[in-house]
Amino acid sequence: QWYVNAASATSKRLVLVLDRSGSMSGDRFDKVKEAATAVLDSLGPNDEIGVIAFDDEIRIHGGCRVTTVSPATPQSILFLKDFINTKIEPEFGSTGYVPALRYAFDMLATNMTLQARRKSNLIVFLTDGHPDEDESQILDIIKSRNDALNNSVLILTYGFGNLNKDGRSILTKMATQNHDFSWGNPIKYPKPYGPNGTMTYLLDYSGHLLRNQMGTYYMNLRDYSVDIQYTVPYYDIALGSGLFFTMSVACYHTNQLIGVVANDISLLELFQQLPYFRYGKYSYAFLIDKQGRLLIHPKQAYASKSNPMPSILNLEMMEPEFVQKAGLDAILRGQGGEVSVMASLYIANGKDPADGSQVLVKNVTYNWRPIPKSPFIFVGAFPVQDYIHNEPVNVYWQPHEDNIQHYHILDNETSASGLDICHHNSIALSPNTSTIKLAPGSFVLPLSYLVYGESEEIKLDIEHYLSSNDNNAINYAINDDVKPDVITTARIVPTWLHNKQYSEHNGVIF
């Protein structure tokens, strides 16, 4: 997919049209299935796909309720492969090109959003080239339907089996759309009515020859772009846990494609602070791409070994109030902005899903900015109440008599230092003083903390910062909201020390 993304440099809205009439029976239809699978394997979630199988009737993936192309997500591709390989077989029906072409054009015309208009429209037509209709009927439906789509639809035809001269001729005329004036009627068809496509006769191609031929259809869409292309994030077992995306760019020599350079990047490592973003009690942040897909969101399921292909949700599904207020196109195409709207916040009652959640309706300010030279957009969501408590509060350490708070340098301490140290689950603790232990999310770079740990100098700096009464003190290793939490927690130390004998955990607070 990343190779095709770079080589074609354009997103596609594609309809696969498969002939399953009686003449396609046997080995011939097996090759059609193989060819269609090769096309599906070239698509990514930036593309949109629809599949039609026809004889004298139309059969659509998903039944008659499917009226348009849909995003080519991994789940969609698996579903379409199953439809092609197990749900359709040649029958004894005749070969109706006109109904199949009409439905294919209708699928491309439906839901023609502003985003869809920026994509290339394409029909890939697979048949043995023996239609029941007259040639003029077939060409008329192509012309009229393509006119309605601003003559934007490219048609690529592929012939199987023993195509005779007439069969090759009609497939050529369907693809070239009157670019070849030698056969055209200058009165009826005075000019081309669509992009100039190609007709490919596959004869007895099979195996890798067939897949290679079908897998290069996108070369008809090439625009010689050297822009960096980005895949939708995916889970790759070979690369490790978490989401990855691939950056790729096409390489040309004298206008000839000679290859693609690509690199895999960890999305969560690149934006490692984002899942831990907090600004007040309810604020949060998330990341979308310029197709409107949610990439990182507090309420979103991420890819894992047990769930390598999670559903990639659209922004309007998770943040409907934001999209309705700001407008999807303004969010995806603008230079950033800010809107306020009453929005629903879902707050978990506990860690267990069985605990349920509560819905809070708050006035939320959404602030978004595109990240330069990337396909990503950062969005922050700030409920108004989170702004109210933004003033500095003069709260300092109020240590209990003879009580000293320690950061977790206790791991390096011994009883010789004058501290009474014990170990609980292999963790060093002091029964008579409070010990501060910070989770990875407390750090500005959580993943770096987990990988590289802390030096002795960093530990001492953090302890000094947390113990300081200076409001202007700064520590670049941990997040700004950590110190207020530590100070607040410290205020319970006297109560804890006074009542620790009643603790079932012998003075350990979890």
Side-chain angles (χ1 to χ4, degrees):
Q1 297 173 1
W2 55 266
Y3 190 98
V4 176
N5 284 348
S8 62
T10 182
S11 298
K12 301 168 287 295
R13 304 179 75 241
L14 186 151
V15 179
L16 267 172
V17 183
L18 314 179
D19 183 353
R20 65 165 190 145
S21 61
S23 61
M24 294 292 293
S25 60
D27 179 63
R28 190 174 298 177
F29 196 68
D30 291 336
K31 293 179 180 178
V32 168
K33 290 180 178 180
E34 189 176 358
T37 299
V39 174
L40 293 178
D41 285 338
S42 72
L43 301 175
N46 287 333
D47 303 312
E48 298 175 54
I49 178 66
V51 176
I52 297 172
F54 74 95
D55 46 19
D56 53 354
E57 295 181 347
I58 302 297
R59 186 163 182 188
I60 315 298
H61 67 91
C64 59
R65 68 179 182 274
V66 176
T67 59
T68 186
V69 289
S70 55
T73 62
Q75 295 88 343
S76 296
I77 296 300
L78 288 176
F79 175 80
L80 291 174
K81 286 182 177 179
D82 179 70
F83 171 73
I84 291 171
N85 290 295
T86 66
K87 302 296 192 297
I88 54 174
E89 292 293 339
E91 298 186 2
F92 297 105
S94 55
T95 309
Y97 279 20
V98 169
L101 287 167
R102 181 184 295 116
Y103 206 100
F105 277 103
D106 286 347
M107 292 184 79
L108 294 173
T110 304
N111 198 28
M112 182 59 75
T113 63
L114 189 59
Q115 284 182 279
R117 295 181 190 279
R118 297 187 176 99
K119 300 181 180 182
S120 297
N121 291 315
L122 179 65
I123 294 175
V124 177
F125 198 93
L126 285 66
T127 181
D128 59 2
H130 299 283
D132 294 336
E133 300 97 342
D134 293 335
E135 176 182 292
S136 60
Q137 292 178 275
I138 297 171
L139 299 181
D140 284 348
I141 195 69
I142 293 175
K143 180 181 183 302
S144 63
R145 292 308 172 101
N146 220 348
D147 282 346
L149 288 170
N150 297 318
N151 308 108
S152 64
V153 182
L154 174 70
I155 299 176
L156 303 178
T157 58
Y158 293 86
F160 293 79
N162 298 317
L163 274 177
N164 58 28
K165 181 179 178 180
D166 291 340
R168 296 187 196 185
S169 174
I170 184 59
L171 291 181
T172 300
K173 294 176 181 179
M174 288 169 58
T176 56
Q177 300 193 73
N178 206 39
H179 280 266
D180 182 0
F181 290 96
S182 62
W183 61 262
N185 183 330
I187 298 177
K188 190 171 186 179
Y189 307 115
K191 62 180 181 179
Y193 41 86
N196 191 10
T198 59
M199 179 271 176
T200 304
Y201 182 30
L202 296 174
L203 192 60
D204 294 322
Y205 282 17
S206 61
H208 72 278
L209 289 176
L210 177 60
R211 293 186 66 84
N212 287 345
Q213 185 67 54
M214 293 302 304
T216 57
Y217 72 92
Y218 57 85
M219 299 298 286
N220 291 274
L221 304 172
R222 189 175 57 193
D223 63 1
Y224 302 102
S225 172
V226 291
D227 292 336
I228 297 176
Q229 304 296 318
Y230 302 83
T231 66
V232 170
Y234 58 89
Y235 180 81
D236 193 321
I237 296 177
L239 294 175
S241 61
L243 288 170
F244 291 80
F245 68 94
T246 301
M247 299 171 58
S248 56
V249 63
C251 301
Y252 296 94
H253 178 67
T254 62
N255 285 338
Q256 294 295 317
L257 179 69
I258 60 174
V260 171
V261 177
N263 187 37
D264 297 317
I265 298 175
S266 168
L267 182 68
L268 291 180
E269 184 171 344
L270 188 63
F271 298 101
Q272 58 180 317
Q273 299 180 52
L274 191 56
Y276 303 97
F277 175 85
R278 293 293 182 273
Y279 186 85
K281 186 175 182 180
Y282 298 114
S283 298
Y284 59 96
F286 54 93
L287 189 74
I288 61 176
D289 66 10
K290 292 183 179 178
Q291 302 294 324
R293 289 182 291 253
L294 280 168
L295 305 181
I296 299 177
H297 193 283
K299 295 181 288 186
Q300 185 175 7
Y302 295 120
S304 63
K305 289 184 178 180
S306 60
N307 184 26
M309 291 191 300
S311 297
I312 300 176
L313 302 178
N314 291 327
L315 175 61
E316 53 262 46
M317 295 183 66
M318 295 287 272
E319 301 286 350
E321 298 93 346
F322 171 41
V323 173
Q324 185 175 6
K325 178 73 173 182
L328 186 61
D329 195 64
I331 297 170
L332 303 182
R333 303 299 167 192
Q335 298 302 311
E338 181 178 297
V339 297
S340 295
V341 62
M342 298 301 294
S344 299
L345 303 179
Y346 296 86
I347 311 300
N349 290 329
K351 295 183 178 180
D352 193 312
D355 294 335
S357 62
Q358 56 181 314
V359 181
L360 303 179
V361 179
K362 291 182 174 291
N363 188 0
V364 179
T365 296
Y366 290 90
N367 192 299
W368 72 96
R369 293 291 185 275
I371 299 175
K373 298 181 180 180
S374 85
F376 306 122
I377 299 171
F378 172 85
V379 185
F382 307 95
V384 170
Q385 289 87 340
D386 279 1
Y387 287 111
I388 296 175
H389 304 290
N390 197 30
E391 295 297 325
V393 180
N394 291 317
V395 290
Y396 305 113
W397 288 109
Q398 297 179 359
H400 188 263
E401 184 178 357
D402 298 325
N403 174 51
I404 301 175
Q405 286 73 23
H406 293 274
Y407 186 52
H408 67 68
I409 55 172
L410 281 178
D411 296 337
N412 299 324
E413 298 279 3
T414 65
S415 58
S417 65
L419 292 174
D420 182 11
I421 296 176
C422 65
H423 286 80
H424 179 77
N425 293 337
S426 301
I427 300 174
L429 299 171
S430 173
N432 297 315
T433 61
S434 60
T435 304
I436 301 166
K437 304 243 180 207
L438 301 180
S442 302
F443 290 82
V444 173
L445 300 175
L447 295 183
S448 296
Y449 166 77
L450 290 172
V451 173
Y452 302 110
E454 299 169 276
S455 66
E456 191 68 21
E457 181 181 0
I458 291 176
K459 291 179 181 180
L460 291 173
D461 285 346
I462 292 175
E463 183 176 25
H464 176 74
Y465 168 68
L466 293 178
S467 302
S468 172
N469 287 345
D470 183 1
N471 270 353
N472 296 319
I474 297 174
N475 186 281
Y476 295 103
I478 61 177
N479 293 315
D480 293 338
D481 59 354
V482 170
K483 186 173 181 177
D485 290 343
V486 171
I487 292 173
T488 303
T489 305
R491 290 187 170 186
I492 71 169
V493 170
T495 303
W496 164 58
L497 290 173
H498 180 72
N499 297 287
K500 69 174 184 174
Q501 64 266 32
Y502 302 111
S503 169
E504 60 179 308
H505 296 292
N506 193 27
V508 178
I509 297 178
F510 295 94

